[in-house]
Amino acid sequence: MRRWTLRRRIAALCVTVGVLLSALAVYAVITATQHNRQLDDVLNRTSPMRAAGESLNTALVDQETGIRGYAITGRESNLAPYTNGMAEEQRLISRIEGLLRPDNTTVRADLDVVRTRARAWHAEVADPVVTTVRTEGAQAGQARIAAGSTAAFDSVRAAIAKMQDDIQLLRAASADAAKKSSQTMVSILIAAAAIIIIAGAGLLLLLDRLVSRPVVELAAQVREVANGDYDRHIESVGSPELGSLAADVDGMRQKIASELTEVREARSQVEWVNEQLKVQAEELTRSNRDLEQFAYVASHDLQEPLRKVASFCQLLQRRYGGQMDERADQYIGFAVDGAQRMQRLINDLLAFSRIGRITNGFTDVDLDRVLTEVRSQLEVRAGEDAEISWADLPTVEGEEPLLTTLFVNLIGNSLKFRREGVPPVVRISARREDDEWVVNVRDNGIGIEAEFADKVFVIFQRLHARDAYEGTGIGLAIVKKIVEYHGGRIWLDLDVEEGTSVNFTLPVVPGATDVEVTPTDGTPEEVAA
């Protein structure tokens, strides 16, 4: 678990939360389906069933009233409530039966009892009264009603009342189930919210432990190095990604420390050479005075002896020309040996100028990745108001640490020589010209006068007082050396109206693609190299 990357941990957290939320979602769908069915039972089944039961009771009462009215008057018009009530009775019974489900056995049994008792009342009471009135008259019908009992009709109403009670129980059960499902839905929402909150807290804790605090710790170590402790080892912190970053930063520190040591040694050697040159200049001055004095003497007092020496040398040449003895050969040997020693001294001086040019070999370097690293290094110096942007940078051959140092120095100068009160803006772009990339680094700073265009790349050359801007004056000289080391050239673009624009070239990697930026909309267009 300790070797898990940050991405893997976040993915595991997201998968776990996703599984839990998916399970809750499935449960919520099932609960919502049940809730809808239960609401349907309450609104569209039990309530209409209960209303139909009330209407059925009314229809039976109408039938009973119609029978009595018909028995009293004997008129067929008074039998209409009975006839209509029978039709309504059949419709309502069918309505209730249609709303029943197979599992509603109790209500279905109650409905069968209602139907049976209603038929019995029709057969035993209502139909005989109607027949008696029609055959024997109204008085006979009244007498039959008076002699009869209301028990059959009361049993029908009792059966309807029982059915209504059972329907009410069914409705109450569905309502209770709907209420419970609603509570379950609320519980599901609370559980989902709790999972999201816990996952968010876990993510924050994960980022704090593996990113925020390690980044702060890594930044503190980097600041110690930036403050001059170049021997400070950058320790691995946080997630494996940050551990890899710490290792890369430490490698960069080691490279910078090594190069800084070489620069200090070179500076010491240059200072020693300058002292030697100063001594030699003083010696040359003294020698020149002696030569001037000698020339004066030679031009006056030594003319005659010199002519004599010349004459005798001419006589010796004519007489002994071609007859050189062993001593003369020895003198010639000394002269040759001196010339060879002088040649070796010159070669040693040339070899000294090559110190520090040892290389580990070129590799493919993605400048987009380099600029990302550079921006990370300069984040503290840049501040929140600085803007560093680039687009469509190529992949080149070179040493990545050196190219990183190149951009650090160029962008660092842009951040250093900013205009007062103006947020620094640095833009890096690249275009291809034949077999080389022309990379441009432009800012909106104080700029460089044209008269200093050549001096800015000279080692230890400063254009400002030391108390105005910090630095040793070696930055652009290092940039120039790195560019030339990679086979390129560097120069200032003096045509810009504001800020500083530095151009340098790098060779194109064989087989690379040329990415051109369309001026109108900025869309990259790939062209075969």
Side-chain angles (χ1 to χ4, degrees), residues 67 70 76 79 82 125-135:
I67 288 295
Y70 181 65
E76 289 293 330
L79 194 59
Y82 174 73
V125 178
D127 290 342
V129 171
V130 173
T131 302
T132 300
V133 172
R134 287 177 179 175
T135 57

Side-chain angles (χ1 to χ4, degrees), residues 252-266 356 358 399 401-403 405-406 409 474 478 482:
M252 179 188 65
R253 176 198 62 79
Q254 295 176 5
K255 186 68 175 178
I256 293 176
S258 175
E259 293 184 355
L260 182 61
T261 300
E262 294 178 0
V263 169
R264 288 172 176 171
E265 292 177 354
I358 299 175
E399 292 191 29
L402 292 180
L403 293 177
T405 302
L406 182 150
N409 279 282
I474 197 175
I478 291 177
I482 293 175

Side-chain angles (χ1 to χ4, degrees), residues 265-284 349 352 459-460:
E265 292 177 354
R267 183 173 182 176
S268 299
Q269 293 170 353
V270 169
E271 291 175 352
W272 180 82
V273 170
N274 287 335
E275 290 295 328
Q276 296 299 315
L277 290 176
K278 183 178 179 181
V279 172
Q280 292 180 7
E282 293 176 354
E283 181 65 23
L284 286 174
L349 184 60
F352 174 81
I459 189 169
F460 302 125

Side-chain angles (χ1 to χ4, degrees), residues 6 8 72 105 108 197 205 227 239 254 288 339 371 378 438:
L6 179 63
R8 189 174 180 183
I72 293 173
T105 55
R108 188 178 298 277
I197 292 172
L205 179 62
N227 291 332
S239 63
Q254 295 176 5
N288 286 335
L371 263 297
L378 297 176
V438 178

